[in-house]
Amino acid sequence: MLIRRWLIASLLTLLSIAACAEDATTSFEEGKHYVRLDTPVRTVDPNKIEVTEVFWYGCSHCFHFEPMVHAWSKKLPKDVEFVQSPAMWNRVMEIHARAFYTAKALGVLDKVHQPIFEAINVERNMLTTPDAIATLFAKYGVEESTFHKAFKSFAVNSQVQQADARARGYQIQGTPEMIVNGKFRVSTRTAGSQRGMLEVVDYLVQQERNSAQ
């Protein structure tokens, strides 16, 4: 009987150790799975943990990542704020960034966000001019004159400049990449996959939540 009890106790101990080892694998290492920014970038709301996805409509990886990150963002707790910020390294990317902020300004981002992705990545309509984008917006009830006015507006100009400054501060190396609370950058190169990116982001969000307590 004593031997049996000892064996059971030993088994429970081994199971406990195994469980702890499994839990340890859910942690991630700085410099390996994510990068700490040299200089933190200020977030919009200091009372929330901000997660920013830096993307480009013309990036096929961003196109495939969009459904995944969209579903993930819908399940975030109330203390996390998800933001999308367009990258821009050339004139075409700037035009696409303007399309994003024009859609936000006109309140039609939910209608045109996915169609812009699909036009470029599926239909091979690269939307390289304001007129081409205006034609797409018109399909969703936006008059071309209204589009062009917003596209050239001071508000959109300011948002584009701010997005460009953020991307520089984040030291973005590609798209998509994710930034947690203006402090940490996560990419598929560091996380291993797009799903891995979200797992690392979830980990970092929890670390930020713990540090604030």
Side-chain angles (χ1 to χ4, degrees):
M1 181 64 71
L2 290 175
I3 295 176
R4 183 178 180 182
R5 289 178 180 176
W6 179 84
L7 289 173
I8 292 174
S10 298
L11 179 60
L12 291 174
T13 300
L14 289 173
L15 290 174
S16 177
I17 293 172
C20 291
E22 184 176 357
D23 287 342
T25 64
T26 62
S27 64
F28 299 98
E29 298 179 21
E30 180 179 326
K32 180 178 180 181
H33 300 102
Y34 61 91
V35 176
R36 182 185 293 269
L37 300 180
D38 295 332
T39 304
V41 177
R42 186 172 63 180
T43 59
V44 175
D45 185 351
N47 296 315
K48 291 196 173 185
I49 301 170
E50 183 177 285
V51 176
T52 302
E53 180 207 2
V54 183
F55 78 101
W56 172 37
Y57 281 123
C59 167
S60 61
H61 300 294
C62 298
F63 172 62
H64 292 296
F65 187 46
E66 179 62 22
M68 188 185 302
V69 74
H70 178 76
W72 170 85
S73 69
K74 294 301 180 183
K75 300 178 182 178
L76 290 174
K78 294 181 179 180
D79 65 338
V80 181
E81 184 73 18
F82 177 63
V83 178
Q84 288 183 301
S85 186
M88 56 198 92
W89 302 306
N90 55 51
R91 177 60 178 166
V92 171
M93 293 178 78
E94 181 185 337
I95 289 174
H96 293 166
R98 285 182 176 277
F100 175 78
Y101 287 114
T102 298
K104 290 191 73 173
L106 296 175
V108 295
L109 184 61
D110 289 345
K111 293 181 179 180
V112 304
H113 188 60
Q114 189 63 28
I116 293 174
F117 265 124
E118 291 176 357
I120 297 172
N121 292 277
V122 178
E123 301 166 14
R124 299 304 177 186
N125 176 3
M126 297 308 295
L127 301 177
T128 58
T129 67
D131 287 341
I133 299 171
T135 299
L136 185 149
F137 273 55
K139 296 178 182 179
Y140 298 91
V142 179
E143 294 185 2
E144 292 193 15
S145 59
T146 301
F147 167 85
H148 284 293
K149 182 177 180 180
F151 191 83
K152 300 174 183 177
S153 68
F154 174 79
V156 169
N157 286 340
S158 296
Q159 289 178 307
V160 167
Q161 291 172 5
Q162 291 168 15
D164 187 36
R166 280 195 301 272
R168 294 176 188 276
Y170 297 151
Q171 300 176 326
I172 293 300
Q173 299 180 353
T175 54
E177 292 191 351
M178 301 185 78
I179 310 299
V180 178
N181 232 17
K183 300 177 183 178
F184 308 104
R185 187 178 72 245
V186 185
S187 68
T188 54
R189 292 183 298 280
T190 58
S193 66
Q194 292 185 346
R195 178 63 63 186
M197 283 176 64
L198 297 179
E199 292 174 357
V200 175
V201 167
D202 284 338
Y203 167 79
L204 291 171
V205 165
Q206 185 59 50
Q207 298 306 302
E208 287 296 286
R209 187 179 291 120
N210 293 342
S211 66
Q213 293 176 351

